[in-house]
């Protein structure tokens, strides 16, 4: 009697199913990793802009002369920043003695299908996440991963 070597069709289908399941899990984790790495841009830029605003205040004794813009030019998307747009205003103080810098995810920034993220910082170093993955939030810190809270 001859022995046949090789794999049966069922064995091949089981292996393909296992590879498909592992691949889908890996893809989801990789996509979340990409979002976390891109959100880090907002955190580092906001911290840097806050320091620059304090330096501006030291020189001018105010944070800017307009309620809709601060004394500094915000970085433009595509130059030094890639995934977020930055705006600055007088914030809750409503005077030139305060500021709030906002980082809003840019349209089509590669932050996932629901990539709508908004982070803020003010003159008191109060950090906030007002939107994460298109969900409105009221966190008093910067969130970088799904399921994280302050």
């Amino acid at each position: 009697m001859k022995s046949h070597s090789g794999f049966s069709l069922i064995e091949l289908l089981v292996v393909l199913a296992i590879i498909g399941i592992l691949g889908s899990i890996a893809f989801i984790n990789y996509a979340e990793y990409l979002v976390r790495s891109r959100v880090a841009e907002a955190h580092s830029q906001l911290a840097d802009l806050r320091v620059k605003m304090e330096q501006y205040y030291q020189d001018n004794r105010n944070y800017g002369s307009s309620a809709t813009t601060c004394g500094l030019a915000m970085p433009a998307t595509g130059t030094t920043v890639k995934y977020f747009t930055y705006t600055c205003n007088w914030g809750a103080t409503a005077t030139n003695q305060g500021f709030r810098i906002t980082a809003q995810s840019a349209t089509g920034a590669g932050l996932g299908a629901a990539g709508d993220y908004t982070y803020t910082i003010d003159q008191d170093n109060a950090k906030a996440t007002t939107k994460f993955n298109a969900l409105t939030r009221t966190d008093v810190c910067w969130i970088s991963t799904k399921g994280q809270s302050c």
Side-chain angles (χ1 to χ4, degrees):
M1 200 164 191
K2 290 183 179 180
S3 69
H4 296 285
S5 62
F7 301 104
S8 70
L9 182 59
I10 292 176
E11 291 171 328
L12 287 174
L13 290 176
V14 168
V15 168
L16 287 176
I18 291 171
I19 290 172
I21 291 169
L22 291 175
S24 67
I25 292 170
F27 179 76
I28 291 169
N29 287 337
Y30 180 69
E32 288 178 7
Y33 167 76
L34 285 178
V35 168
R36 279 195 317 268
S37 67
R38 292 171 180 169
V39 162
E41 174 197 293
H43 300 170
S44 65
Q45 281 293 322
L46 286 172
D48 183 54
L49 288 169
R50 180 184 179 277
V51 169
K52 289 178 180 178
M53 286 299 295
E54 294 303 332
Q55 291 169 340
Y56 181 89
Y57 186 86
Q58 290 296 318
D59 295 338
N60 301 288
R61 305 313 283 165
N62 66 59
Y63 290 111
S65 58
S66 169
T68 57
T69 59
C70 296
L72 296 176
M74 294 292 110
T77 304
T79 55
T80 58
V81 296
K82 189 172 181 180
Y83 303 108
F84 287 83
T85 56
Y86 299 87
T87 58
C88 186
N89 58 42
W90 284 350
T93 65
T95 70
N96 64 0
Q97 297 301 302
F99 70 87
R100 178 185 299 123
I101 303 173
T102 303
Q104 172 70 43
S105 58
T107 305
L111 290 169
D116 192 2
Y117 300 84
T118 305
Y119 300 99
T120 64
I121 192 167
D122 66 15
Q123 73 281 349
D124 295 325
N125 200 28
K127 302 170 183 171
T129 302
T130 57
K131 225 176 222 189
F132 187 82
N133 207 21
L135 299 174
T136 301
R137 304 285 299 245
T138 57
D139 298 292
V140 291
C141 66
W142 291 332
I143 302 230
S144 58
T145 61
K146 186 170 51 173
Q148 182 182 2
S149 63
C150 300

